[in-house]
Amino acid sequence: MRLKKQKRHRRTVRFYTTCFGFREPFKVLCDGTFIHHLLVNRIAPADSALSNILGGAVKLFTTRCVLAELKSLGKSYSESLKAARGLITARCDHEKRKSAVACMMEVVGEKNPEHFFLATQDADLREKLQEVPGVPLIFGLRNALLLESPSAFQRQVAKSTEEGRLHMSEAEYKMLRTKNTLEAEEAMKFADVNESEGDQNGGTQAMRRANDGRKRIGVKDKVQFKRKKAKGPNPLSCKKKKNLGLPTSVSKSESNDGSETVRSRSNKKRKRSRKGKKLEATNG
């Protein structure tokens, strides 16, 4: 049961934050009956109990008329008066003292511009405030605090305001209409100037503007295909061969000289002496 109550409170707070612009820290306006109920049922501290209900930080307020009413009730409400003096005093503009109910109604106003959560034990006051848009109500039940669900009137007001936000207002419609008329007049003036001049510059400028508009939109005159470029040779096949046998420091002239010496040695033949043969022929 406790979990259902927490979900209902979260849903109610979300309704007022989204539809009527309530923000943290939430302002809670307390009257004398609610403060007295907190003391009688020993719900303390009050700010932590209210923050648990609303799911955020809170600030507690009261009015001078509420303080005056508690003071007039005598000693039985002296502790309530002492606790009420510790709260922040909200501004009420009336000069003479009024009843707490009339003061609360005046502070809330017609649309609750200060975004107050109103905490009271007065059933008649809660019934009156249900007809005011954007006024969430808090009341106590024994030792528990409850946040009242939005009334049908408040839901209807929230729905109508949402529909009004979706549609264009009269001021916005007038602004849009004047803007369109000014743009149309400028376009007509530009067309008249081009016709009177009759130059080719006007035509070229119009073509440039049209092309610029096409470029901005991303439209092209013709379909452009990418041509394949000729690729170069494979860089790995273009490497120079390494000379493993000969050192790189030997010059061509030295290599040529060496080859000639080898050839000259190989071309020389050994001459044998024929003296012995001649002597043998003569002796025979």
Side-chain angles (χ1 to χ4, degrees):
M1 189 70 183
R2 186 177 179 183
L3 185 61
K4 289 182 179 179
K5 184 172 69 174
Q6 288 177 353
K7 286 183 178 179
R8 187 174 69 250
H9 290 167
R10 288 176 191 169
R11 202 180 302 118
T12 305
V13 172
R14 198 181 303 119
F15 170 79
Y16 286 107
T17 52
T18 54
C19 297
F20 296 100
F22 282 71
R23 295 290 180 268
E24 291 187 35
F26 299 118
K27 300 177 182 179
V28 181
L29 185 63
C30 306
D31 69 344
T33 59
F34 184 77
I35 295 169
H36 185 69
H37 178 82
L38 293 176
L39 291 175
V40 170
N41 293 278
R42 296 180 181 179
I43 302 173
D47 53 354
S48 63
L50 288 167
S51 64
N52 290 333
I53 293 172
L54 303 179
V58 297
K59 288 183 179 181
L60 303 182
F61 290 81
T62 189
T63 62
R64 291 179 299 172
C65 297
V66 172
L67 294 173
E69 189 177 64
L70 288 172
K71 189 176 180 180
S72 64
L73 292 174
K75 292 182 180 180
S76 59
Y77 286 85
S78 60
E79 292 183 4
S80 302
L81 177 61
K82 187 178 179 180
R85 283 174 178 170
L87 306 182
I88 304 170
T89 305
R91 183 179 176 182
C92 48
D93 295 330
H94 47 266
E95 296 179 358
K96 295 182 180 181
R97 175 192 160 188
K98 291 185 177 181
S99 64
V101 174
C103 182
M104 291 285 179
M105 292 293 293
E106 188 173 341
V107 170
V108 169
E110 295 180 356
K111 294 183 180 180
N112 193 13
E114 295 293 330
H115 299 105
F116 280 120
F117 283 81
L118 200 138
T120 181
Q121 294 298 111
D122 192 347
D124 295 333
L125 179 60
R126 291 205 307 267
E127 189 176 354
K128 289 179 182 178
L129 290 173
Q130 284 180 352
E131 300 299 324
V132 179
V135 183
L137 301 172
I138 300 171
F139 63 96
L141 187 63
R142 295 179 183 175
N143 60 348
L145 299 179
L146 300 173
L147 177 63
E148 196 167 333
S149 299
S151 62
F153 175 75
Q154 291 181 351
R155 292 184 183 277
Q156 185 65 31
V157 170
K159 188 176 180 181
S160 61
T161 52
E162 186 178 358
E163 290 178 355
R165 279 192 234 107
L166 293 174
H167 298 290
M168 193 182 297
S169 62
E170 293 182 1
E172 291 174 348
Y173 180 74
K174 287 180 181 178
M175 288 175 65
L176 183 63
R177 190 173 180 181
T178 53
K179 187 178 179 182
N180 291 335
T181 52
L182 288 172
E183 288 179 355
E185 288 177 359
E186 288 179 359
M188 290 293 291
K189 288 180 181 178
F190 183 74
D192 294 338
V193 169
N194 287 335
E195 288 178 0
S196 62
E197 289 179 355
D199 297 334
Q200 293 181 355
N201 294 329
T204 53
Q205 287 178 0
M207 289 294 290
R208 285 176 185 173
R209 288 177 182 174
N211 292 331
D212 291 339
R214 288 178 181 177
K215 288 178 181 177
R216 289 174 186 172
I217 298 169
V219 180
K220 295 181 179 180
D221 295 334
K222 295 181 181 179
V223 181
Q224 296 180 358
F225 296 98
K226 291 184 178 180
R227 294 182 180 178
K228 293 183 178 181
K229 296 180 181 180
K231 296 181 179 180
N234 191 356
L236 297 174
S237 64
C238 297
K239 282 187 174 182
K240 294 181 180 180
K241 294 181 179 180
K242 295 181 179 179
N243 295 326
L244 299 174
L246 295 174
T248 56
S249 62
V250 179
S251 61
K252 290 183 180 180
S253 61
E254 291 177 357
S255 62
N256 291 331
D257 294 338
S259 63
E260 287 177 2
T261 54
V262 172
R263 286 176 186 173
S264 62
R265 287 177 184 175
S266 63
N267 289 333
K268 286 182 180 182
K269 293 181 180 181
R270 187 176 179 183
K271 293 181 181 181
R272 296 179 180 179
S273 60
R274 294 181 180 180
K275 291 180 181 180
K277 289 183 179 181
K278 287 181 181 180
L279 289 173
E280 287 179 0
T282 54
N283 290 330

